[in-house]
Amino acid sequence: MNTKNRKILINMCLIGLFSALCYVGVLINIPIPSPLGKPMIHLGNLVVVIVSLLFDGVVGGVSGSIGMGLYDIINGYDIWSISRTIILKLAIGLIVGFVYHKLIKKESKTPLFVLFITGGFLTILGGTFLILATINNGSFTVEAINKTITITWPVYTFTLIMGLFLLFVGILSSKFPYKLQAAAIATSLAICVNICGEFIYKVLKQMALGGTNFIHSVYLGFTSLPSTLINGGITLFVILIIFIPIETAILKKYKRQ
């Protein structure tokens, strides 16, 4: 077997293994109440990111698309949700793999400003939601078609926590090993893309199927983002803890062989 065919076979085996892990990662979940969709906290994204960092973005992204896409299909999600999962999980893997391995090859100064910009934006957004909620006796209510949308504590709490966490990571990251800095940058970018993708998906779906106008669809989209923010925060936090030990263990294993 030549080198190219061997690599293809190895990647197929890895995708099969990690697709199963992605499925298990999303199977173990905590649902979050939301006026739009069925958001939940899970570890599927974490599997996609760690695989993309350790191997490459194609293996991580395809594994996430297959594993989590299969979960959506089995559990009766609509075609909108299935398509969103397949596209966004593939995007997460490709972004993490491309950015991380690009930074590692260059071994230049990592663009830590990305963490500060993202963290600052989320902190301001979360703070704005908190102020609006406080002014309106603990919640910010918007009248939509035949319903009231309330932006409650999970929305501003987790947005604010995520923003502050990214700022904290940005401040400390200069002391991290270079590989961990690159991993943090790649993961943060992928998390931002995933958050934006989820938001756009929810707004478009609500406009197309829910019958609400653009402004009300935007409010609904914001109120359904806490689980996405939590998943992103958990993913980045765990990556900062386990990435270097896992990579070191894998490299030692290869050296022994």
Side-chain angles (χ1 to χ4, degrees):
M1 182 182 295
N2 60 41
T3 304
K4 183 178 179 180
N5 289 338
R6 184 172 180 274
K7 184 177 180 180
I8 292 174
L9 180 60
I10 291 174
N11 284 343
M12 289 177 63
C13 292
L14 289 173
I15 288 172
L17 171 63
F18 294 124
S19 294
L21 286 178
C22 286
Y23 181 87
V24 173
V26 75
L27 183 65
I28 304 171
N29 61 73
I30 303 175
I32 297 290
S34 171
L36 188 60
K38 296 184 287 184
M40 56 190 177
I41 302 172
H42 60 81
L43 300 178
N45 291 343
L46 174 61
V47 178
V48 175
V49 171
I50 194 68
V51 172
S52 300
L53 291 171
L54 293 173
F55 299 97
D56 64 56
V58 175
V59 173
V62 173
S63 297
S65 293
I66 294 174
M68 286 185 266
L70 185 61
Y71 175 88
D72 284 1
I73 293 172
I74 292 175
N75 287 275
Y77 284 76
D78 58 40
I79 189 63
W80 282 74
S81 297
I82 296 170
S83 301
R84 172 210 60 189
T85 296
I86 292 173
I87 294 171
L88 287 182
K89 303 322 167 188
L90 179 61
I92 290 174
L94 293 177
I95 290 170
V96 170
F98 175 78
V99 173
Y100 174 74
H101 294 288
K102 195 78 172 177
L103 290 174
I104 291 301
K105 285 181 180 180
K106 287 185 176 181
E107 291 193 7
S108 58
K109 188 175 180 180
T110 52
L112 298 178
F113 67 87
V114 173
L115 293 175
F116 290 105
I117 292 175
T118 306
F121 171 75
L122 291 177
T123 301
I124 293 172
L125 183 63
T128 301
F129 281 145
L130 176 59
I131 292 171
L132 290 173
T134 302
I135 292 175
N136 290 276
N137 299 319
S139 65
F140 178 55
T141 304
V142 178
E143 295 294 335
I145 297 176
N146 298 323
K147 68 168 68 173
T148 298
I149 306 167
T150 304
I151 300 180
T152 52
W153 68 268
V155 178
Y156 50 78
T157 299
F158 292 113
T159 305
L160 197 55
I161 289 174
M162 182 66 176
L164 293 173
F165 178 67
L166 284 174
L167 290 175
F168 179 71
V169 171
I171 293 171
L172 295 182
S173 57
S174 60
K175 300 180 180 179
F176 293 164
Y178 180 80
K179 285 187 175 182
L180 196 56
Q181 291 183 34
I185 294 296
T187 303
S188 299
L189 287 173
I191 289 171
C192 291
V193 170
N194 188 50
I195 291 172
C196 292
E198 289 279 356
F199 174 70
I200 292 171
Y201 152 78
K202 287 175 170 58
V203 171
L204 293 178
K205 181 179 179 181
Q206 184 62 25
M207 291 177 64
L209 302 181
T212 57
N213 62 35
F214 176 73
I215 298 298
H216 292 147
S217 296
V218 168
Y219 282 122
L220 280 168
F222 272 120
T223 60
S224 62
L225 284 181
S227 64
T228 307
L229 293 166
I230 297 170
N231 287 330
I234 291 173
T235 298
L236 181 57
F237 179 75
V238 175
I239 287 297
L240 292 174
I241 295 174
I242 70 172
F243 174 60
I244 295 298
I246 290 179
E247 186 190 48
T248 301
I250 290 177
L251 290 176
K252 285 182 179 179
K253 180 71 173 177
Y254 275 113
K255 286 180 180 179
R256 289 174 185 174
Q257 294 177 349

